[in-house]
Amino acid sequence: MPRITAAITGVHGFIPKDIITNKDLEIMVDTNDEWIKARTGIEERHILRDPNLATSDMGAAAVMALLEKKGMSPLDIDLIICATVTPDYFFPDTGTLIAYKVGAKNAFAYDITAACSGFLFSATTGAKMVESGSYKNVIVVGADKMSTITDYTDRATCILFGDAAGAILIQPNEKGNGLLDSWMRVDGVGAEFLHMKGGGSRNPPTHETVDKKMHFLYQDGKPVFKAATKGMAEAVSEIMKRNNLSPDDITYVVPHQANLRIIQAVADMLKFPIEKVMINIQKYGNTTGATIPLCLWEWQDKLKPGDKIILTAFGGGYTWGASLWSWAY
Ligand code: UT7
């Protein structure tokens, strides 16, 4: 029997309409448009302002649009995996809330928390579920309402993040297209440099944790920058080495969008021309779980069956890795 491969067969994004520009941030903190553009590449980010809407609402919107485009019923979905660090609640998980909102009554669901690598890890996990032969229609969602954990008085972090969601459909493929390989790692040494201190079992919420701003994301940017550059370059080169690939064989690299300088440094280290790298950080900033599916959504019309792409990410944890896919449509 031929091996079942698991291919991405659709992608859709959701971007909230409200925008915070660099000029808007100049009024909020001691920063300026030139610094933000030069140090990060970000020009604006979208924010889900409505306090009644949360991460699952953005995820559900992306999934519903994806199903509509594919002409599929929500009843066809077997599994929804949601990558997020800003779940609606600790529990129930956001994947289950998305399944409820879209009417995926025949599905099971769960979340994967791996910070900015969440979508990368989830896509491999979803593909392996399809490869197993047990599940045929798997949806992987990357969704984050980063504005809810961003301290808009901290200029070191508030310039970086935005809100968005992206969803992919993974299905069996008979032509051998789909996930070809993946290489993923974690290292808890990174917890010190990128974390959210409060809210969990170590520092449960109290007046004090709120007063000390422990429910906001904390980042010491410099060490994370260095580790991210090294980590993504390592992951992509491991994947290329063990699959005997050169940059000429790859149509696009799809990096997590945290900082334009990190993306450029990784491309330089791997000798990838920048035209082969998907970059949209200028429009959305770092949307954590959503950056990679948003890139795929924007670039899908430029891809054709058989094109090889490499997804790569680095995030809090540390978590990092890369996966090689053969495009299916
Ligand atoms: O997505 C998950 C993984 N995350 C990442 O990959 C992010 C990694 N880190 C970064 O992207 C960068 O470290 C940042 C963009 C966060 C910061 O850039 P940097 O080049 O590392 O700047 P820095 O933190 O070393 O700050 C340089 C200077 C400092 O001033 P002094 O000490 O040199 O006088 C900062 O106080 O820039 C100052 N600064 C700012 N100035 C204007 C920091 N933030 C700002 C700001 N506007 N927003």
Side-chain angles (χ1 to χ4, degrees):
M1 226 172 59
R3 188 174 87 89
I4 301 171
T5 52
I8 298 170
T9 55
V11 51
H12 210 93
F14 173 84
I15 295 160
K17 66 177 188 330
D18 285 310
I19 292 175
I20 298 185
T21 64
N22 292 349
K23 289 279 174 209
D24 296 331
L25 287 164
E26 284 182 6
I27 300 163
M28 296 157 68
V29 288
D30 180 15
T31 191
N32 58 77
D33 179 47
E34 296 71 37
W35 191 96
I36 301 173
K37 279 204 291 235
R39 305 309 289 169
T40 71
I42 301 168
E43 293 169 22
E44 56 188 38
R45 61 295 284 144
H46 290 246
I47 300 293
L48 186 66
R49 281 213 193 272
D50 187 339
N52 296 311
L53 296 179
T55 297
S56 71
D57 298 295
M58 294 194 292
V63 172
M64 278 189 288
L66 174 58
L67 291 175
E68 198 184 312
K69 195 165 69 182
K70 295 296 293 180
M72 280 173 69
S73 158
L75 300 176
D76 296 335
I77 304 173
D78 300 314
L79 165 63
I80 296 178
I81 304 174
C82 180
T84 186
V85 293
T86 51
D88 289 29
Y89 310 107
F90 259 7
F91 67 90
D93 65 279
T94 307
T96 294
L97 299 174
I98 293 172
Y100 179 64
K101 282 177 181 163
V102 305
K105 292 190 175 164
N106 297 319
F108 73 112
Y110 54 86
D111 290 0
I112 288 184
T113 307
C116 294
S117 304
F119 182 84
L120 180 87
F121 290 9
S122 301
T124 292
T125 308
K128 292 291 168 191
M129 289 295 214
V130 171
E131 281 178 19
S132 75
S134 302
Y135 306 100
K136 287 199 162 49
N137 298 311
V138 172
I139 287 192
V140 174
V141 184
D144 273 297
K145 191 176 178 186
M146 294 304 290
S147 57
T148 56
I149 59 166
T150 299
D151 176 1
Y152 286 97
T153 65
D154 173 19
R155 70 174 183 173
T157 53
C158 74
I159 57 158
L160 299 171
F161 296 98
D163 303 336
I168 58 169
L169 177 66
I170 304 180
Q171 294 178 305
N173 186 278
E174 284 156 12
K175 296 186 175 142
N177 290 324
L179 180 68
L180 302 176
D181 196 9
S182 58
W183 185 96
M184 298 177 288
R185 292 289 185 275
V186 298
D187 185 350
V189 76
E192 183 187 344
F193 307 110
L194 181 48
H195 58 245
M196 193 169 91
K197 282 193 180 63
S201 56
R202 184 162 301 280
N203 298 300
T206 60
H207 282 292
E208 195 191 354
T209 62
V210 174
D211 290 344
K212 288 186 170 165
K213 298 188 169 191
M214 288 163 69
H215 300 276
F216 291 128
L217 170 152
Y218 165 85
Q219 177 172 252
D220 181 357
K222 270 214 185 324
V224 181
F225 186 104
K226 271 192 209 150
T229 310
K230 190 166 158 269
M232 289 205 282
E234 174 192 30
V236 174
S237 65
E238 284 292 334
I239 282 282
M240 296 200 16
K241 211 170 13 177
R242 71 186 192 190
N243 291 279
N244 286 320
L245 297 167
S246 78
D248 287 345
D249 302 313
I250 306 298
T251 309
Y252 282 105
V253 176
V254 193
H256 167 57
Q257 313 278 308
N259 186 316
L260 182 60
R261 287 185 298 137
I262 296 177
I263 296 170
Q264 277 167 337
V266 172
D268 286 351
M269 283 160 86
L270 297 166
K271 303 201 172 13
F272 267 100
I274 205 73
E275 306 75 54
K276 284 191 171 210
V277 183
M278 295 187 193
I279 299 172
N280 61 13
I281 190 171
Q282 67 282 4
K283 295 191 282 187
Y284 309 123
N286 183 349
T287 55
T288 304
T291 65
I292 290 177
L294 287 186
C295 281
L296 294 175
W297 185 37
E298 198 170 332
W299 265 266
Q300 61 182 335
D301 293 342
K302 295 194 173 76
L303 292 165
K304 54 183 193 317
D307 280 354
K308 290 202 171 57
I309 62 169
I310 294 179
L311 316 186
T312 183
F314 186 94
Y318 296 133
T319 54
W320 73 104
S323 56
L324 173 67
W325 300 72
S326 169
W327 197 250
Y329 64 98

